[in-house]
Structures are given as structure tokens and as C-alpha cells.
Amino acid sequence: QVQLVESGGGLVQPGGSLRLSCAASGFSFSVGYMSWVRQAPGKGLEWVSSINLSGTNTWYADSVKGRFTISRDNATNTLYLQMNSLKSEDTAVYYCAKGGPGLGLIDTGSRGQGTQVTASS
């Protein structure tokens, strides 16, 4: 069965960096788009970024463009999200999911347990 396990979250000061990882198993990781989504307290699911099969095309929400970088390693079935210049409004639980680009093309049911990112002084 599809399994996605997110890791790498934590508490950082505004302006800091984190690198999230997502280990995938139970499906053909290399033949599908992948995405990161997030959910802040009291808010709905928000699309963050997507990447195509080979990693040559990426898409970002305007709120993270220029600060976040999505990447993937098809040899190890791992998805990454490098987050720089973090802001307090980036505080959320981050999930990886199959599909994309954009929330309408994401299988939100495929999400793992998520990893908490908190940007606070």
C-alpha cells in the first residue's frame, strides 16, 4: 500500500532554514508527480509546491516562491523540500502527497502523518 513518511520538521527562528524529507514506498514513485501541502492551525489544506516525474519542472505557491525548493531522488524514492528564509506564516504541518501540480490534482488521501514546522522567536 502507499506509504509516505515525512520528516525534518522542527522549531526555527524566523529567517532560518529547514529541509524536509518524504520517504515513499508501496507505489512507483518515479512515474508520478509529487507535491508538498501544508495545513496551519485552524486553516484548510494549502498547496505549497509540486515536481514532475524527472524533476525538471517545478511549481510553487506565490507565498513560498524564491524561498522554498522542491526536489526528488528517484533512486531512493525520496522527496525533499528545502525551506529558507522561514516566516512565522510558514508555521504548519507539512505533508507530501502523490500528484500535482496544484491542489486539484493531488491525492490528498495519500498523505503521511506530516511533520510540524514552527517558525517563531
Side-chain angles (χ1 to χ4, degrees):
Q1 69 280 15
V2 173
Q3 187 170 17
L4 297 171
V5 180
E6 302 92 342
S7 62
L11 172 64
V12 295
Q13 292 189 342
S17 298
L18 283 173
R19 189 192 196 202
L20 306 185
S21 298
C22 170
S25 62
F27 65 103
S28 297
F29 177 80
S30 62
V31 300
Y33 284 52
M34 292 293 297
S35 297
W36 288 96
V37 297
R38 68 186 181 185
Q39 188 163 24
K43 296 189 177 180
L45 206 58
E46 177 188 15
W47 170 70
V48 174
S49 181
S50 299
I51 189 167
N52 71 340
L53 284 67
S54 60
T56 53
N57 289 325
T58 57
W59 297 263
Y60 299 94
D62 287 343
S63 58
V64 307
K65 199 172 295 183
R67 301 187 297 120
F68 290 11
T69 302
I70 189 172
S71 61
R72 66 191 296 166
D73 184 344
N74 289 338
T76 61
N77 291 352
T78 307
L79 181 71
Y80 299 101
L81 186 68
Q82 177 66 44
M83 306 186 296
N84 298 329
S85 302
L86 281 160
K87 304 176 180 180
S88 58
E89 51 262 44
D90 295 319
T91 295
V93 178
Y94 285 70
Y95 304 90
C96 62
K98 296 174 60 181
L103 202 56
L105 296 176
I106 292 172
D107 177 7
T108 55
S110 66
R111 290 176 291 159
Q113 84 291 345
T115 186
Q116 175 71 48
V117 171
T118 304
S120 173
S121 54

